[in-house]
Amino acid sequence: MVRELMDTQRQNFWKESIEKEAYVRLAWHEKYSKEFAKDSAKAIRRKQRPDMVPKPVMTMKLPQIERAKKSDSKAKQAEAKASYAELAKKDPNALLVEMRPASTNTKAQLYKGFSKLGEGRYAYLQTRKLRKPEEKFEFPITSSWEYGWRLGDVITEMRAPDFGRSRIVKDSFYRTNGIF
C-alpha cells in the first residue's frame, strides 16, 4: 500500500509541478511586479493607534550616559590614525599585514623541539590559539567577527549561571587514564 503512494512516476510529477509553479511565479513577477509595487505603496497606510504605554512611563527618562569615556577613546583613535598615517608614509606595504606579529617568547617556541612530541610548531600554535582575536588582529577579518569584536571592553563581569549544569561528577569521579 505504501508503494502505491509514491512511486517514481508520481515523484516526477510532483517535482515537475513544483518547478512549473516556480517558473509561473517568476514569469508573473517579471511581468507585473512593477505595476503592483507602485499601487501597493500608495494604498497601504498605517492606522493611527493610541499610545499603548501608560503616560507616567512615557514621561520617565533614562539616566544620561557618560560621554567622557567616548571622548577618551576618540582621542586614542585619533592618535592611532596619526601613527598609521606616519607608518603608511614610511612604508605603504606595512599596513597590509592582517595579523599582528607574535611575541619573541612565542616565536622562540617554533624552534624548540618537534611537533610530534608536543613541542615546536604544535606548542607555538597552541599558545597562539589561547589569545583572543582582538589581541592577534588589528581589525576583524571576516564579517562574523564583528559581532563579538571587543566584547570584553563592554562586558566586564562574566560569571557562571546560578542554576546551570556542571560537570562535578565527571571531573571528580571518572578517571581519565584507565585504572590508575
Side-chain angles (χ1 to χ4, degrees), residues 86-110:
E86 291 173 12
L87 185 62
K89 288 178 184 176
K90 292 177 184 175
D91 184 16
N93 293 330
L95 296 177
L96 295 177
V97 178
E98 294 172 347
M99 184 179 267
R100 293 179 182 155
S103 66
T104 55
N105 294 335
T106 309
K107 279 186 184 177
Q109 286 183 339
L110 276 172

Side-chain angles (χ1 to χ4, degrees), residues 26-89:
L26 183 62
W28 185 92
H29 181 69
E30 287 176 353
K31 190 173 182 181
Y32 297 109
S33 64
K34 293 178 183 174
E35 295 174 18
F36 283 98
K38 293 176 186 175
D39 295 339
S40 63
K42 293 176 185 175
I44 297 175
R45 294 196 179 153
R46 299 196 178 254
K47 296 178 184 177
Q48 295 294 333
R49 294 183 181 172
D51 293 329
M52 300 304 279
V53 181
K55 295 292 181 189
V57 175
M58 291 181 68
T59 57
M60 294 174 57
K61 292 187 177 182
L62 295 174
Q64 294 294 326
I65 299 173
E66 294 179 19
R67 301 288 181 190
K69 293 180 181 178
K70 290 186 178 181
S71 64
D72 293 339
S73 65
K74 287 181 181 179
K76 289 179 183 178
Q77 288 176 355
E79 291 174 11
K81 285 181 182 179
S83 66
Y84 287 142
E86 291 173 12
L87 185 62
K89 288 178 184 176

Side-chain angles (χ1 to χ4, degrees), residues 77-164:
Q77 288 176 355
E79 291 174 11
K81 285 181 182 179
S83 66
Y84 287 142
E86 291 173 12
L87 185 62
K89 288 178 184 176
K90 292 177 184 175
D91 184 16
N93 293 330
L95 296 177
L96 295 177
V97 178
E98 294 172 347
M99 184 179 267
R100 293 179 182 155
S103 66
T104 55
N105 294 335
T106 309
K107 279 186 184 177
Q109 286 183 339
L110 276 172
Y111 307 108
K112 293 180 184 175
F114 299 100
S115 292
K116 189 172 184 180
L117 301 175
E119 299 171 346
R121 183 171 183 256
Y122 178 80
Y124 166 79
L125 291 174
Q126 291 300 318
T127 56
R128 193 76 170 146
K129 182 176 71 172
L130 295 176
R131 297 185 70 192
K132 298 177 188 175
E134 297 97 30
E135 297 171 0
K136 292 189 282 187
F137 296 92
E138 291 287 337
F139 52 89
I141 303 299
T142 62
S143 62
S144 63
W145 284 12
E146 292 175 6
Y147 293 108
W149 195 257
R150 297 282 181 206
L151 192 61
D153 297 345
V154 179
I155 300 173
T156 56
E157 182 182 331
M158 291 290 289
R159 60 184 181 88
D162 295 333
F163 301 104

